[in-house]
């Protein structure tokens, strides 16, 4: 979604020069962006810590795989459409004194919507560039801390009372000749003026409070607009699931048209049905668009139960949304899985605090999480590496792309407040990444239903897959890692406790 | 940074108040007012209040940005407090000088008069800045523009001028305002600059000035001519004439001048109508010189114009009250 500032607002900016709620979008509860890619000859791992308020300051962290980088410039831009071609003056990312391959910088994100951070690298191998899609959205309204509230209240009372006494002094003594003392009549008039001033000041404070509340409500509407839309479901003919999106703000549907979403690695919607509360079953399905901007899919056979819904779509501007909801299903006797649809079922998450690092695969093979020793920490960018072995413990040789990529990973917190659909390139939407690369989008180059260009490797992929990501907050998580071997999708499931 | 001006004022006025309170100097104490046991010139207290208001706005504004994002509005609660504090400092400075002038020798009075004219001009410039949006060139054919001017300008233009009781004071204050804005308009484009924020729609290589000043100089001249014949009038009668005279003479020159500003002849460095901000979108270029239509019916237009006329009388009366108060001020 792109919200172009009005001329009025623009003039206001010029004049100024002179004079946990759930968050959102691309994923649920996981707003920061993790990306791994190549800027020309330089391999980079980019983390964008997005601000909680917009406009606000995003923190950019860049790790270079090589030591031959001299300088990195960063600049925020629109992902697509008008304004995406003309960047402001870029800022230099600062090189860490302790780690010369680590660079950091801060960027103002001035508007909500689908943005990108363009990273330009200069080094021994010449220049290189990459763009990282960044969904920019207001996440919350900051509460005022008690000490600051106390200080401002004290100053407000001081100013209010001070104004009353100044008005009194002005009437009582302001006009007196030097050395003259005020007559009783003046003192009386001063008291009357002080009383009137007090009433006026109280009125001003009342109006100020009303104004403040109105401003806060307006901002909250922005926050609500970017909360995950609700997934409204309907079961038709016993096994056909239809999903509609309903924004948390009434104006949401004016800005985001489900009829105009663009395909993300080959599908308009990636629907995840996860058994709740144990996260013991998971379906990764791809409903088709039906009339009225809804999506529908004939469900495969599924046991009865409650399922959490996370449905990823990308709007025409490259802003990723995740529809969130749940549905209670009776036993479904449905079709067999086909195409890119996949499923997993296993044990429920129960052993809280116990991490797993190996997962059994359906064919007797194993998936190994090659995690570093030590506890997992929240808000730390990590590279989640997984290797795949056959039943004999040997690296597999039949890995192939699954929807154009070496793997897909879904990070889900056990309280279902976090859901992130991550790829080897990171947490960015692949459709947004394509827009960032080509600048296409609103102009219509990427039409809904048209599959995105996906590299289809002819040779088998390596038996390892990695995902750059960082857990957004402490807690227990289940990680679903999906790969494709010999034409069949396999899912390895890992549990993680994050501090 | 803007709060530094408040700090400087606070230091100066705090020194005056503490000196008058604790030094025991009879001269300082005899020309002081008393508030909460402190003594000092009334203007120093008003300016100190403004300083505290400006300083209060700093953490308030900082929190506001953190809570609701960088504020791109001119008029927000913390900015209003900042503006109120800044304006109070000017009111305090004018009061301080008025008290001095009303006790001073003619030589000192002359010097302070020019200082007061300058402060008055800065007051008008500050209000003009607050009224930027409704008085933008494209809005100059709306009744809202003139209503905003009638509400915001007469008191700050007439008050300091009337307080001086000097012939052509109103003209001088308006001339000061005009000079300040022209200086901004002509000097800022000489300073190289590039946009640091996006999205960027316009290639910008220097600072962009705000706009050509409002033609307040014309109603100011008319008011001075009027006042030279009507000083003995009652204040309500004077306001009932001065307000409409101000508004109608302003309307008479600004309305046609707006036509000129929107014409190609004004798209030069002198009138500054060819400047665009980096964030002016490309489609804006198709109609940047087209007047906005704010009032849907002629009834609405004339209704607002009538309100502007009434507002001009009230704010002119406020200006006279302010000016009379400064004429009487001795401490």
């Amino acid at each position: 979604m792109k919200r172009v500032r009005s001329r009025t607002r623009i003039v206001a900016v010029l004049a100024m020069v002179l004079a946990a709620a759930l968050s959102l979008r691309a994923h649920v509860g996981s707003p920061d962006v993790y990306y791994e890619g190549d800027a020309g000859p330089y391999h980079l791992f980019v983390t964008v810590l997005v601000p909680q308020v917009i406009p606000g300051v995003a923190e950019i962290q860049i790790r270079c795989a090589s030591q031959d980088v001299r300088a990195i410039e960063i600049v925020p831009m629109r992902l697509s459409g008008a304004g995406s071609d003309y960047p402001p003056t870029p800022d230099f990312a600062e090189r860490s004194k302790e780690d010369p391959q680590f660079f950091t910088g801060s960027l103002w994100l001035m508007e909500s919507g689908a943005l990108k951070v363009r990273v330009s690298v200069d080094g021994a191998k010449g220049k290189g560039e990459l763009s990282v899609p960044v969904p920019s959205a207001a996440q919350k309204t900051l509460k005022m801390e008690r000490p600051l509230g106390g200080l401002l209240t004290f100053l407000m009372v001081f100013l209010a009372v001070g104004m009353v006494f100044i008005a009194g002094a002005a009437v009582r003594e302001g006009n007196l000749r030097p050395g003259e003392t005020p007559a009783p009549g003046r003192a009386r008039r001063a008291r009357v003026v002080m009383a009137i001033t007090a009433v006026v000041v109280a009125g001003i404070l009342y109006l100020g409070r009303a104004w403040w509340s109105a401003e806060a409500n307006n901002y909250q509407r922005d926050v609500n607009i970017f909360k995950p839309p609700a997934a409204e479901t309907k079961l038709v003919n016993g096994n056909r699931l239809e999903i509609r999106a309903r924004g948390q703000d009434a104006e949401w549907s004016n800005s985001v048209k489900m009829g105009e979403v663009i395909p993300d690695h080959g599908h308009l919607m990636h629907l995840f049905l996860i058994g709740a509360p144990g996260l013991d079953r998971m379906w990764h399905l791809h409903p088709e668009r039906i009339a009225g901007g809804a999506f529908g899919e004939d469900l495969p056979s599924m046991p009865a139960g409650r399922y959490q819904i996370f449905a990823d779509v990308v709007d025409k501007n490259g802003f990723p949304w995740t529809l969130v909801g749940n549905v209670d299903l009776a036993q479904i006797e449905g079709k067999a899985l086909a195409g890119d649809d996949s499923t997993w079922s296993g044990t429920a998450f129960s052993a809280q605090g116990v991490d797993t690092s190996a997962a059994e695969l359906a064919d007797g093979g194993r998936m190994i999480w090659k995690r570093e020793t030590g506890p997992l920490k929240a808000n730390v960018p990590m590279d989640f590496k997984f290797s795949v072995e056959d039943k004999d413990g040997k690296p597999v040789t039949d890995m192939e792309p699954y929807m154009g990529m070496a793997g897909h990973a879904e990070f889900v917190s056990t309280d279902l407040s976090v859901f992130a659909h991550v790829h080897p390139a990171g947490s960015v939407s692949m459709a947004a990444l394509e827009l960032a690369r080509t600048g296409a989008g609103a102009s219509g180059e990427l039409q809904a239903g048209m599959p995105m260009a996906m590299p289809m490797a002819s040779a088998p992929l390596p038996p390892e897959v990695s995902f750059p990501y960082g857990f957004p907050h402490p807690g227990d998580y289940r990680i679903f890692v999906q790969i494709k071997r010999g034409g069949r999708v396999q899912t390895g499931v890992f549990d993680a406790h994050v501090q | 940074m803007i709060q530094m001006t408040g700090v400087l004022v606070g230091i100066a006025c705090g020194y005056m108040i503490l000196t008058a309170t604790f030094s025991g100097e009879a001269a300082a104490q005899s020309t002081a007012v008393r508030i909460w046991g402190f003594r000092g010139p009334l203007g120093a207290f008003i300016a100190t209040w403004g300083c505290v208001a400006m300083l209060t706005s700093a953490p308030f504004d900082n929190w506001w940005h953190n809570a609701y994002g960088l504020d791109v509005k001119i008029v927000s609660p913390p900015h209003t407090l900042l503006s109120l504090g800044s304006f109070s400092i000017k009111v305090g400075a004018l009061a301080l000088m008025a008290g001095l002038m009303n006790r001073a020798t003619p030589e000192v009075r002359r010097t302070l008069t020019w200082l007061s004219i300058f402060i008055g001009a800065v007051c008008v410039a500050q209000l003009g800045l607050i009224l930027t949006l409704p008085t933008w060139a494209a809005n100059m054919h709306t009744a809202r523009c003139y209503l905003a001017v009638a509400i915001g300008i007469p008191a700050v233009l007439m008050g300091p001028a009337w307080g001086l009781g000097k012939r052509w004071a109103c003209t001088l204050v308006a001339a000061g305002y005009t000079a300040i804005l022209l200086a901004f308009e002509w000097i800022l484009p000489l300073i190289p600059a590039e946009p640091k924020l996006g999205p960027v729609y316009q290639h910008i290589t220097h600072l962009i000035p705000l706009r050509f000043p409002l033609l307040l100089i014309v109603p100011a001249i008319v008011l001075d001519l009027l006042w030279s014949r009507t000083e003995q009038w009652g204040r309500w009668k004077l306001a009932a004439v001065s307000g409409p005279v101000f508004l109608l003479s302003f309307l008479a020159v600004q309305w046609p001048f707006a036509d000129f500003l929107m014409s190609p002849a004004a798209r030069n460095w002198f009138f500054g109508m060819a400047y665009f901000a980096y964030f002016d979108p490309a489609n804006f270029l198709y109609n940047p010189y087209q007047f906005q239509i704010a009032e849907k019916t002629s009834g609405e237009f004339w209704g607002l114009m009538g309100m502007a006329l009434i507002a001009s009388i009230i704010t002119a009366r406020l200006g006279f009250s302010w000016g009379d108060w400064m004429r009487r001020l001795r401490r």
Side-chain angles (χ1 to χ4, degrees):
Chain A
M1 189 169 84
K2 192 167 294 178
R3 305 172 65 223
V4 180
R5 243 181 252 130
S6 68
R7 171 71 183 167
T8 300
R9 218 173 176 198
I10 285 165
V11 173
V13 175
L14 182 60
M16 276 305 297
V17 170
L18 286 177
L22 276 182
S23 44
L24 22 137
R25 330 145 333 213
H27 312 291
V28 177
S30 184
D32 295 333
V33 175
Y34 301 89
Y35 177 73
E36 185 176 1
D38 294 325
Y42 310 102
H43 193 70
L44 306 181
F45 186 121
V46 183
T47 302
V48 182
L49 306 175
V50 300
Q52 297 196 328
V53 295
I54 300 296
V57 178
E59 300 298 331
I60 317 296
Q61 302 171 354
I62 303 171
R63 174 167 295 287
C64 309
S66 58
Q67 297 181 345
D68 51 359
V69 171
R70 280 195 293 267
I72 295 180
E73 288 183 339
I74 49 177
V75 63
M77 302 169 67
R78 280 190 179 169
L79 182 62
S80 62
S84 62
D85 296 330
Y86 309 108
T89 307
D91 289 342
F92 276 104
E94 192 173 337
R95 188 192 293 270
S96 165
K97 290 192 174 80
E98 291 78 28
D99 181 355
Q101 288 173 248
F102 189 61
F103 293 74
T104 57
S106 301
L107 293 176
W108 274 102
L109 302 186
M110 292 301 294
E111 57 181 353
S112 301
L115 306 183
K116 65 183 175 186
V117 171
R118 197 177 71 183
V119 180
S120 303
V121 183
D122 187 15
K125 295 194 280 281
K127 295 180 187 293
E129 187 176 293
L130 64 76
S131 291
V132 184
V134 177
S136 169
Q139 297 171 43
K140 64 190 293 188
T141 303
L142 189 73
K143 299 288 180 205
M144 189 175 285
E145 291 174 356
R146 195 177 285 266
L148 178 61
L151 174 68
L152 290 179
T153 303
F154 169 77
L155 289 169
M156 179 189 72
V157 171
F158 178 82
L159 288 168
V161 175
M163 185 178 277
V164 171
F165 276 80
I166 287 172
V171 173
R172 191 177 58 245
E173 300 171 88
N175 300 342
L176 295 181
R177 296 180 187 286
E180 191 180 348
T181 53
R186 277 185 178 274
R188 209 165 32 247
R189 267 180 55 207
R191 282 196 291 274
V192 172
V193 167
M194 287 171 74
I196 294 170
T197 308
V199 171
V200 171
V201 167
I204 291 171
L205 290 176
Y206 177 81
L207 291 174
R209 183 174 178 274
W211 183 15
W212 187 341
S213 299
E215 292 281 344
N217 288 338
N218 279 343
Y219 183 79
Q220 187 57 41
R221 285 186 55 247
D222 271 11
V223 173
N224 288 342
I225 274 182
F226 286 102
K227 283 182 178 172
E232 294 183 335
T233 56
K234 186 168 75 169
L235 203 61
V236 180
N237 299 330
N239 73 334
R240 180 167 179 78
L241 186 67
E242 292 186 0
I243 301 175
R244 292 176 191 278
R246 181 173 50 80
Q248 309 236 354
D249 183 274
E251 287 191 13
W252 181 82
S253 55
N254 291 333
S255 307
V256 184
K257 305 288 186 195
M258 281 295 113
E260 298 177 344
V261 297
I262 60 176
D264 188 9
H265 48 291
H267 296 282
L268 291 172
M269 175 178 275
H270 293 261
L271 170 64
F272 297 89
L273 294 172
I274 299 175
L279 285 66
D280 56 342
R281 310 178 294 282
M282 190 274 282
W283 276 263
H284 180 171
L285 308 174
H286 304 93
E288 294 298 323
R289 189 163 48 207
I290 57 178
F295 292 82
E297 164 130 3
D298 294 332
L299 293 175
S301 296
M302 300 173 71
R306 165 160 287 207
Y307 292 88
Q308 180 72 19
I309 294 173
F310 296 109
D312 286 343
V313 294
V314 180
D315 73 25
K316 64 176 182 178
N317 295 313
F319 194 95
W321 300 89
T322 299
L323 284 54
V324 178
N326 56 62
V327 60
D328 291 306
L329 295 176
Q331 172 80 26
I332 302 283
E333 297 299 335
K335 63 170 188 175
L337 286 172
D340 291 326
D341 291 354
S342 58
T343 185
W344 170 88
S345 62
T347 56
F349 185 97
S350 61
Q352 290 196 357
V354 176
D355 298 342
T356 55
S357 57
E360 301 297 326
L361 298 177
D363 67 348
R366 291 200 316 161
M367 186 181 287
I368 311 294
W369 179 5
K370 300 169 79 173
R371 54 177 289 188
E372 295 175 1
T373 55
L376 298 167
K377 304 264 187 175
N379 297 310
V380 175
M382 287 182 278
D383 207 15
F384 291 81
K385 288 185 179 170
F386 301 89
S387 63
V388 186
E389 300 173 348
D390 63 17
K391 59 185 177 186
D392 299 323
K394 294 177 182 170
V396 296
T397 57
D398 55 354
M399 289 266 286
E400 59 186 71
Y402 176 33
M403 287 183 282
M405 283 167 281
H408 301 248
E410 292 85 39
F411 294 76
V412 187
S413 66
T414 55
D415 63 1
L416 300 172
S417 66
V418 174
F419 171 83
H421 178 185
V422 182
H423 304 117
S427 62
V428 300
S429 139
M430 302 313 290
L433 196 59
E434 184 67 9
L435 284 176
R437 191 178 65 78
T438 63
S443 56
E445 284 86 341
L446 284 169
Q447 293 297 329
M450 187 174 76
M452 305 252 312
M454 290 183 294
M456 302 299 289
S458 53
L461 294 173
E464 279 194 355
V465 60
S466 66
F467 305 92
Y469 183 64
F471 294 106
H473 56 70
D476 293 313
Y477 291 80
R478 178 157 270 193
I479 308 169
F480 301 90
V481 180
Q482 299 192 289
I483 50 123
K484 195 169 185 182
R485 289 178 54 206
R488 302 184 64 150
V489 178
Q490 296 186 324
T491 304
V493 176
F494 304 86
D495 293 336
H497 177 71
V498 180
Q499 296 179 353
Chain B
M1 197 59 197
I2 196 169
Q3 275 83 8
M4 269 306 292
T5 59
V7 171
L8 292 175
V9 170
I11 291 171
C13 292
Y15 177 78
M16 292 175 78
I17 291 169
L18 293 176
T19 305
T21 305
F22 298 111
S23 72
E25 282 180 31
Q29 293 197 343
S30 68
T31 56
V33 300
R34 281 183 303 165
I35 296 176
W36 297 341
F38 291 96
R39 291 166 183 267
L42 181 64
F45 280 107
I46 296 171
T48 303
W49 187 94
C51 160
V52 175
M54 286 184 80
L55 293 179
T56 302
S57 77
F60 186 20
D61 201 31
N62 191 46
W63 175 82
W64 190 273
H65 291 173
N66 287 334
Y68 306 120
L70 176 74
D71 203 329
V72 294
K73 292 179 179 175
I74 299 175
V75 186
S76 68
H79 289 171
T80 301
L81 182 61
L82 176 66
S83 190
L84 188 63
S86 173
F87 193 75
S88 297
I89 285 175
K90 298 177 187 78
V91 171
L94 284 170
L96 192 62
M97 287 189 284
L100 279 172
M101 279 194 288
N102 293 335
R103 308 192 305 266
T105 60
E107 291 75 27
V108 175
R109 188 180 167 85
R110 200 171 302 124
T111 308
L112 292 174
T113 297
W114 287 108
L115 273 174
S116 296
I117 286 169
F118 174 72
I119 300 293
V122 176
C123 284
V124 177
Q126 182 177 350
L127 262 294
L129 184 68
I130 292 170
L131 300 179
T132 297
L133 297 179
T135 59
W136 199 249
N139 294 325
M140 284 178 184
H141 282 185
T142 66
R144 282 168 171 76
C145 169
Y146 297 92
L147 177 60
V149 170
I151 291 171
I153 298 296
V156 292
L157 177 64
M158 299 183 199
W162 188 255
L164 288 170
K166 178 183 166 63
R167 192 163 161 76
W168 300 111
C170 198
T171 304
L172 291 169
V173 169
Y177 153 80
T178 306
I180 290 169
L181 260 73
L182 284 178
F184 273 121
E185 192 201 329
W186 293 341
I187 293 172
L188 289 182
L190 304 177
I191 301 168
E194 291 179 303
K196 297 286 283 181
L197 301 172
V200 177
Y201 299 114
Q202 309 281 340
H203 183 56
I204 300 294
T205 57
H206 53 73
L207 291 179
I208 302 296
L210 199 53
R211 57 144 175 218
F212 197 80
L214 298 172
L215 297 182
L216 297 176
I217 189 76
V218 174
I221 293 171
V222 176
L223 284 174
D224 275 327
L225 290 172
L226 173 72
W227 293 350
S228 66
R229 292 166 177 78
T230 59
E231 192 165 355
Q232 300 309 314
W233 286 14
R235 295 301 180 249
W236 271 112
K237 183 181 174 186
L238 193 56
V241 175
S242 297
V245 161
F246 166 84
L247 183 65
L248 295 175
S249 57
F250 176 68
L251 181 67
V253 291
Q254 195 68 48
W255 188 287
F257 187 62
D259 282 318
F260 171 76
L261 287 178
M262 300 297 255
S263 75
R267 293 167 207 171
N268 48 49
W269 69 269
F270 189 92
F271 292 103
M273 288 300 291
Y275 296 122
F276 293 97
Y278 71 87
F279 39 65
D280 282 337
N283 58 1
F284 175 71
L285 289 175
Y286 291 108
N287 61 357
Y289 302 109
Q290 186 173 312
F291 284 112
Q292 300 295 313
I293 299 168
E295 292 84 30
K296 294 186 177 68
T297 63
S298 60
E300 187 184 357
F301 177 87
W302 289 111
L304 289 175
M305 280 297 195
M307 287 172 63
L309 207 62
I310 294 167
S312 71
I313 295 171
I314 295 169
T315 52
R317 182 67 184 89
L318 282 173
F320 291 129
S321 295
W322 181 11
D324 283 334
W325 175 69
M326 285 198 291
R327 286 186 183 194
R328 292 193 300 266
L329 209 56
R330 288 189 171 79
R331 295 193 173 193

